[in-house]
């Protein structure tokens, strides 16, 4: 397995942890998966990648977050209207990823879950409740397609409120149809091969224009097909072999169709370590195998007593 994944796992800072469950028993919680038919990566020969020549403006950051703190970095500055509280953020992110996965599928843009979002899928097919942003990857050919045909496009997404979500949406009731709008925004610097100062490692974003919360989209490129064929990487030095990614597997995430890399487990281990698959207390949440959910510690009375 490639070990050159340098990016620090942002979802998993060091915290005390306890080893309770074995990986094998956890695997039972993973949503059903199957192999997809698309067994080859899309061809990238015609990509404008690297054809831009010298670009003095490359290091000028394209995506601007609401601020530099960890909390504010989860929002696009243009659409930020205040921090989304913990109780509401999962619904916002759930619609964000559902809309992204559904719309990209309908546009024919192949994308798959990555980083902390892939880890959330591995545990129970859901976003980990302490995550405030989402990650997806595409091939450079798909990013070219998105850029040329859909950059700057707004996409309407309708969903019906179920009773569970009522509590977080006081103005709405069960059965109401909510219409959301999302923007696909492609970084003009995506065609750069290099990382530069790291200001533009995110190639595109799928942005909730009501809150500014987003899906980070990064493209994998076979950077040196002649001397290192079959080695793919993003601008932030995550490396994969063709067979780590393709053929993608079909699965579900947050209740909608999704794709994941073929060697998803090796990818997660390389990025986050084995502990990310066995530790059952993280970021103030505890894993309950009976309900297959991460629950915030202190959310039921007995736990609150323990915390106090
Ligand atoms: C995408 O569109 C925005 C404007 O909506 C523009 O600033 C940006 O340069 C475009 N990106 C690409 C890759 O052309
Ligand atoms: C807290 O809630 C979880 C999930 O509902 C449940 O499985 C667990 O037993 C509860 N813990 C206690 C100590 O009551």
């Amino acid at each position: 397995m490639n070990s050159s994944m340098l990016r620090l796992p942002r979802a998993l800072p060091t915290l005390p942890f306890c080893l309770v469950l074995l990986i094998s028993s956890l695997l039972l919680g993973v949503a059903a998966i199957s192999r997809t038919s698309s067994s080859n990566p899309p061809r990238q020969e015609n990509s404008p990648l690297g054809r831009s020549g010298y670009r003095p403006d490359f290091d000028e950051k394209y995506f601007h977050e609401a601020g530099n703190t960890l909390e504010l970095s989860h929002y696009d500055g243009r659409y930020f209207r205040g921090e989304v509280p913990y109780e509401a953020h999962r619904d916002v992110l759930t619609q964000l990823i559902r809309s992204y996965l559904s719309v990209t599928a309908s546009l024919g843009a192949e994308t798959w879950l990555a980083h902390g979002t892939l880890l959330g899928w591995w545990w129970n097919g859901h976003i980990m409740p302490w995550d405030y942003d989402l990650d997806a990857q595409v091939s450079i050919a798909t990013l070219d397609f998105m850029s040329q045909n859909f950059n700057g496009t707004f996409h309407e997404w309708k969903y019906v409120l179920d009773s569970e979500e009522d509590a977080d949406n006081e103005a709405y009731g069960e059965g109401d149809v909510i219409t959301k709008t999302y923007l696909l925004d492609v970084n003009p610097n995506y065609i750069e091969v290099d990382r530069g100062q790291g200001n533009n490692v995110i190639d595109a974003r799928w942005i909730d224009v009501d809150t500014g919360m987003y899906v980070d989209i990064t493209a994998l490129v076979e950077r040196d097909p002649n001397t290192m064929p079959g080695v793919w990487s993003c601008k932030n030095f995550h490396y994969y072999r063709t067979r780590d990614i393709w053929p993608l597997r079909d699965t579900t995430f947050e209740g909608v169709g999704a794709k994941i890399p073929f060697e998803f487990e090796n990818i997660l281990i390389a990025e986050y370590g084995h502990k990310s698959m066995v530790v059952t207390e993280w970021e103030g949440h505890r894993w309950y195998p009976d309900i297959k959910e991460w629950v915030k510690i202190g959310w039921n009375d007995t736990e609150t007593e323990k915390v106090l």
Side-chain angles (χ1 to χ4, degrees):
M1 186 58 218
N2 272 301
S3 56
S4 0
M5 300 190 177
L6 300 179
R7 191 167 101 161
L8 289 173
R10 93 182 97 154
L12 300 174
T14 44
L15 271 184
F17 55 81
C18 55
L19 304 175
V20 180
L21 295 175
L22 295 172
I23 289 178
S24 56
S25 66
L26 294 174
L27 271 174
L28 297 171
V30 173
I33 49 173
S34 63
R35 215 178 157 129
T36 81
S37 49
S38 56
S39 59
N40 290 308
R43 299 166 73 83
Q44 67 178 43
E45 286 85 41
N46 298 322
S47 176
L49 187 82
R51 295 202 191 136
S52 53
Y54 175 64
R55 297 258 309 230
D57 58 334
F58 169 49
D59 276 334
E60 196 182 303
K61 194 166 156 54
Y62 178 70
F63 289 119
H64 292 280
E65 294 80 26
N68 291 325
T69 64
L70 181 65
E71 290 75 23
L72 294 179
S73 69
H74 298 125
Y75 306 88
D76 182 288
R78 293 167 291 177
Y79 301 103
F80 178 66
R81 293 187 199 165
E83 282 180 56
V84 176
Y86 178 85
E87 295 71 26
H89 87 287
R90 272 185 96 180
D91 286 344
V92 172
L93 293 184
T94 299
Q95 298 306 330
L96 189 63
I97 196 71
R98 282 182 182 162
S99 61
Y100 172 73
L101 294 171
S102 305
V103 171
T104 50
S106 73
L107 300 179
E110 182 183 86
T111 186
W112 59 92
L113 307 177
H115 308 305
T117 307
L118 182 62
L119 185 58
W121 167 84
W122 186 88
W123 280 88
N124 61 357
H126 293 288
I127 297 161
M128 296 184 295
W130 57 87
D131 262 355
Y132 277 76
D133 60 9
L134 299 161
D135 284 293
Q137 288 175 333
V138 294
S139 69
I140 189 67
T142 298
L143 192 62
D144 286 338
F145 169 77
M146 286 175 160
S147 170
Q148 283 154 25
N149 299 289
F150 300 104
N151 181 39
T153 53
F154 291 87
H155 300 260
E156 259 192 15
W157 171 253
K158 290 187 198 296
Y159 68 98
V160 178
L161 265 194
D162 63 29
S163 49
E164 238 177 88
E165 286 159 317
D166 279 352
D168 302 328
N169 295 274
E170 279 161 27
Y172 300 102
E174 184 178 350
D176 283 356
V177 176
I178 308 290
T179 303
K180 299 276 299 177
T181 303
Y182 300 95
L183 166 65
L184 180 62
D185 194 0
V186 182
N187 189 334
N189 302 302
Y190 89 87
I191 53 175
E192 295 297 331
V193 180
D194 299 324
R195 183 177 189 278
Q197 300 293 307
N199 282 330
N200 289 297
V201 295
I202 304 304
D203 293 306
R205 273 183 179 158
W206 180 254
I207 304 165
D208 173 357
V209 302
D210 293 328
T211 64
M213 297 190 91
Y214 53 76
V215 180
D216 271 342
I217 305 165
T218 48
L220 296 191
V221 179
E222 198 179 16
R223 277 167 217 279
D224 211 338
N226 296 321
T227 60
M228 290 169 75
V231 175
W232 298 71
S233 60
C234 66
K235 288 191 180 65
N236 220 11
F237 308 125
H238 288 99
Y239 289 90
Y240 309 88
R241 297 160 306 182
T242 304
R243 63 183 178 279
D244 292 330
I245 305 290
W246 289 278
L248 294 168
R249 297 172 190 263
D250 282 320
T251 182
T252 58
F253 187 66
E254 291 295 351
V256 302
K259 291 180 190 296
I260 51 164
F262 187 73
E263 293 285 357
F264 59 90
E265 209 149 50
N266 289 342
I267 287 172
L268 287 172
I269 291 167
E271 187 166 0
Y272 298 114
H274 277 282
K275 70 177 189 300
S276 68
M277 295 168 151
V278 287
V279 171
T280 55
E281 256 188 66
W282 208 267
E283 291 267 327
H285 293 73
R286 183 170 297 146
W287 173 254
Y288 288 92
D290 48 340
I291 56 167
K292 295 192 175 67
E293 282 276 3
W294 291 98
V295 178
K296 190 166 179 153
I297 295 172
W299 267 30
N300 46 16
D301 294 336
T302 322
E303 295 287 35
T304 310
E305 277 167 33
K306 271 188 214 157
V307 169
L308 291 177

